[in-house]
């Protein structure tokens, strides 16, 4: 298969698992992260750049020749604090990466996706659906991403391009490792499946969503959260 997929924030965690899953499914995989070196055997093209840098993303996109079948906007950060203590800098930074970064990538690839009648997958979060204490900036960025996804689905449906949001719950990664152990245990007890999710469980959903088996799925947000709703 000579179809390219692009995964952002592919250095580790969910992004790396998605890249690996899609490589195993036979796609050519392009990815980037801000600072991590590429995992061996996963990428056909890889670079280090900041997703919030419009020109850098545009330059990355220009390096990929051939059919771009899907983009998976996964790069994301948290800068958690209760709102009373949240700084302007931490608000702006989270919006710049989690929301503006997705704008940058979609802009850079939209013409290629129209050509391929491809798929956009945006990794949001259940925080964006239900809100979460300490995450006003993050939840705002992830809610906005859902509205952004629904809008692209409406604008691009006529070209055969699909856009889907994926909302993971609590997944075992470096990001969730920052949560204090005591709070993690409390959270687990509130998750219907009584455990955190695995990165592979998100990756398999993404593989399905970009496949022809999901050809009538667009403009929606699918939770992969073990039933958890903050
Ligand atoms: N882990 C969870 O429990 C969880 C839950 C819901 C949603 N998510 C979302 O899933 C996505 C991946 O999360 P994760 O847990 O794997 O995170 P992670 O911190 O383990 O990995 C994030 C990846 O994104 C890259 N990245 C961060 N900022 C970047 C930037 N400015 N430019 C380019 N790359 C950048 C990092 O280098 C890294 O490779 C994020 O969008 C996150 O919001 C995670």
């Amino acid at each position: 298969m000579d179809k390219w997929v692009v995964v952002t924030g592919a250095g580790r965690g969910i992004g790396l698992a998605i890249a690996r899953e899609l490589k195993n499914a036979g796609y050519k995989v392009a990815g980037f992260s801000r600072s991590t070196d590429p995992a061996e055997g996963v990428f056909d093209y890889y670079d280090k750049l900041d997703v919030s840098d419009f020109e850098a993303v545009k330059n990355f996109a220009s390096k990929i020749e051939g059919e771009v079948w899907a983009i998976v906007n996964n790069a994301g950060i948290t800068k958690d604090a209760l709102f009373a203590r949240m700084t302007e800098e931490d608000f702006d930074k989270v919006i710049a990466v989690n929301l503006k970064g997705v704008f940058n990538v979609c802009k850079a690839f939209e013409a290629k996706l129209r050509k391929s009648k491809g798929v956009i997958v945006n990794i949001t979060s259940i925080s964006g659906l239900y809100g979460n204490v300490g995450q006003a900036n993050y939840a705002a960025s992830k809610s906005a991403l859902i509205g952004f996804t629904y809008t692209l689905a409406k604008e691009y449906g006529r070209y055969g391009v699909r856009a889907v949001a994926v909302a993971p719950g609590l997944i075992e990664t470096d990001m969730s490792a920052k949560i204090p152990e005591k709070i993690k245990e409390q959270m687990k007890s509130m998750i219907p499946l009584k455990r955190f999710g695995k990165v592979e469980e998100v990756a398999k959903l993404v593989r399905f969503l970009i496949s022809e088996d999901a050809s009538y799925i667009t403009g929606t947000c699918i939770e992969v959260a073990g039933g958890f709703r903050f």
Side-chain angles (χ1 to χ4, degrees), residues 18-100:
I18 293 170
R20 192 168 272 136
E21 182 74 27
L22 300 183
K23 181 71 189 168
N24 291 339
Y27 296 97
K28 287 188 108 175
V29 180
F32 67 83
S33 78
R34 195 180 30 191
S35 53
T36 323
D37 287 328
E40 238 180 80
V42 176
F43 298 97
D44 298 279
Y45 176 60
Y46 189 92
D47 208 349
K48 286 184 203 171
L49 58 107
D50 188 332
V51 75
S52 64
D53 182 339
F54 185 81
E55 286 304 320
V57 172
K58 208 167 127 186
N59 183 48
F60 175 85
S62 72
K63 301 272 169 57
I64 301 164
E65 287 169 9
E67 185 183 351
V68 175
W69 174 248
I71 55 173
V72 183
N73 285 300
N74 166 79
I77 57 167
T78 51
K79 298 259 179 217
D80 294 357
L82 289 175
F83 184 67
R85 286 190 220 126
M86 188 172 286
T87 63
E88 183 187 9
E89 193 191 351
D90 284 351
F91 187 84
D92 289 349
K93 187 71 198 156
V94 167
I95 298 292
V97 174
N98 296 7
L99 181 59
K100 176 70 183 339

Side-chain angles (χ1 to χ4, degrees), residues 86-129:
M86 188 172 286
T87 63
E88 183 187 9
E89 193 191 351
D90 284 351
F91 187 84
D92 289 349
K93 187 71 198 156
V94 167
I95 298 292
V97 174
N98 296 7
L99 181 59
K100 176 70 183 339
V102 178
F103 170 88
N104 292 345
V105 177
C106 288
K107 268 282 179 197
F109 284 100
E110 66 95 25
K112 287 177 198 268
L113 287 169
R114 252 186 292 149
K115 214 168 158 193
S116 68
K117 303 188 192 306
V119 191
I120 299 163
V121 175
N122 292 327
I123 307 296
T124 171
S125 167
I126 55 166
S127 293
L129 285 167

